[in-house]
Amino acid sequence: MNLASQSGEAGCSQLLFANFNQDNTSLAVGTKSGYKFFSLSSVDKLEQIYECSKYLSCCLFLAHLSCLFSVADTEDVCIVERLFSSSLVAIVSLKAPRKLKVCHFKKGTEICNYSYSNTILAVKLNRQRLIVCLEESLYIHNIRDMKVLHTIRETPPNPSGLCALSISNDNCYLAYPGSATIGEVQVFDTVNLRAANMIPAHDSPLAALAFDASGTKLATASEKGTVIRVFSIPEGQKLFEFRRGVKRCVSICSLAFSMEGLYLSASSNTETVHIFKLETQREKPQEEPTTWTGYFGKVLMASTTYLPAQVSEMFTQGRAFATVRLPFSGHKNICALAIIQKIPRLLVAAADGYLYLYNLDPQEGGECTLMKQHKLDGSAEPANEILEQTAHERPLVAQTYSAAVAKGYSEDQGAVGGAGVEDDMNALHLDEENEQPPLILETD
């Protein structure tokens, strides 16, 4: 969730970016002073794994007369993406919004860097590929050596950097908007480097995209925000259609599948998060109704054959299995569904500077219970503090991308760089937990 375009009153928050890693086991936070990683293994405590800030960099410089990260590199971090539970991290700063740094955060060393022709809007990682999204192009890097394998140029204008990358090795697909005026989704095979499909998902432009963990399902939402659809990948067949609401159009902030693919969450700029259950309704044998309401229902469903398509669709769309009532509205946020301490949870990281954790009842659904909230700056929450909506209605202050972009990149309209700064590029160890690392990272 990139918050660098949001503006508001001065001094209300240091937060610029927040995102969950690929398996929802950690949370990355980018701030004006640096970035942090938090473990998501506990509800009661938000354990900080690592912190890199300009203040720590200065201390290292004074203590050791050398500094592995320059101070400028750790200021105004607007994108920070971690590869699963590894030490590999991709960083973009508002100080240099066209420059991508790939680092080994436990060693505090830079592996390589690339400069691009325009502002970096999003970075996506999996065990095979690293994707860099610009407003009108996408760069596909091989994560084993960080070389550019393919460039998708002249894409429709995508100022929000909307794209999604599957985390599956077997179905390594990239999805991005195929149009700026209607909700077309382009699906690209990043292994074979070829277009896989174009899905006409919505009538309005796209607002959110998300793959499930297997890479076989893609969830989509449009700028209208009332309908969520799920398609099979790469075929593009519509599998599910859910209605988020009918009373008002909203801005969808994020879509997220649970790791097993049974649940799908959708958050927006309203106070409600919807959780849908992806299960096919079993057809029951037809029974003759015995009441007036039963007869009326049967006639109503039969009449959908003769109604306009938009009306009849409303009778067949799924409704939310569970909901969450957030203590705020109007803030950008990102959600995740994870198993923490053997219980399904919904996690919401928001621009108000908090991480909210809710319990999800996998049998009954219904309204989820708020279990805990944590400050994203890592500070302790006072035991008697009650979250009031008025305390979180202040919008976030951040330097805009357009104000931060410095002119001067003109190298062939592409990615330039790749020069590593490690002394021994052939001995990179990521020290992951429970995952296979990429192979040796080499640069020209």
Side-chain angles (χ1 to χ4, degrees), residues 259-392:
M259 289 304 293
E260 83 285 355
L262 182 59
Y263 301 98
L264 171 66
S265 62
S267 69
S268 68
N269 62 338
T270 71
E271 68 282 357
T272 306
V273 179
H274 295 78
I275 302 173
F276 305 99
K277 196 169 185 179
L278 281 70
E279 57 181 0
T280 305
Q281 297 292 332
R282 296 179 181 177
E283 292 189 4
K284 296 180 180 179
Q286 289 285 344
E287 295 181 1
E288 286 297 319
T290 58
T291 63
W292 168 248
T293 54
Y295 279 109
F296 180 75
K298 185 176 181 180
V299 171
L300 187 63
M301 290 307 296
S303 67
T304 59
T305 306
Y306 307 100
L307 292 173
Q310 289 182 339
V311 178
S312 62
E313 280 180 1
M314 292 180 61
F315 290 98
T316 59
Q317 289 166 341
R319 295 299 190 267
F321 170 74
T323 58
V324 161
R325 300 293 177 184
L326 297 171
F328 63 83
S329 64
H331 288 297
K332 293 179 70 175
N333 59 80
I334 186 167
C335 58
L337 289 160
I339 302 294
I340 301 177
Q341 296 172 319
K342 300 182 180 180
I343 297 176
R345 321 273 189 178
L346 175 80
L347 292 78
V348 181
D352 68 349
Y354 281 84
L355 172 68
Y356 301 91
L357 294 95
Y358 294 82
N359 276 5
L360 169 64
D361 187 329
Q363 277 77 43
E364 300 297 328
E367 188 159 344
C368 301
T369 305
L370 175 64
M371 299 306 294
K372 199 75 175 179
Q373 64 191 51
H374 299 285
K375 289 185 177 180
L376 290 177
D377 62 6
S379 63
E381 183 78 9
N384 61 350
E385 180 172 337
I386 300 175
L387 182 68
E388 298 179 358
Q389 184 172 343
T390 55
H392 296 274

Side-chain angles (χ1 to χ4, degrees), residues 162 183 185 201-202 204-210 218-231 244 250-255 266-267:
L162 177 62
V185 184
H202 301 271
S204 303
L206 296 171
L209 296 166
L218 176 69
T220 67
S222 73
E223 290 181 354
K224 191 174 181 181
T226 55
V227 175
I228 313 295
R229 295 189 172 104
V230 178
F231 299 90
R244 196 212 56 81
V250 302
S251 298
I252 300 295
C253 292
S254 75
L255 297 171
S267 69

Side-chain angles (χ1 to χ4, degrees), residues 99-128:
K99 187 176 184 179
L100 171 71
K101 288 181 177 291
V102 179
C103 303
H104 189 300
F105 74 82
K106 289 184 180 178
K107 289 184 178 180
T109 53
E110 180 182 311
I111 297 167
C112 63
N113 66 77
Y114 276 86
S115 293
Y116 300 83
S117 60
N118 212 330
T119 298
I120 300 170
L121 300 177
V123 177
K124 304 294 179 183
L125 302 168
N126 64 22
R127 293 187 178 97
Q128 297 189 70

Side-chain angles (χ1 to χ4, degrees), residues 424-444:
D424 187 2
M425 292 299 296
N426 297 320
L428 176 65
H429 300 287
L430 299 179
D431 301 325
E432 298 83 21
E433 300 158 2
N434 305 320
E435 66 126 336
Q436 293 296 322
L439 297 183
I440 297 168
L441 291 179
E442 296 178 346
T443 55
D444 293 334

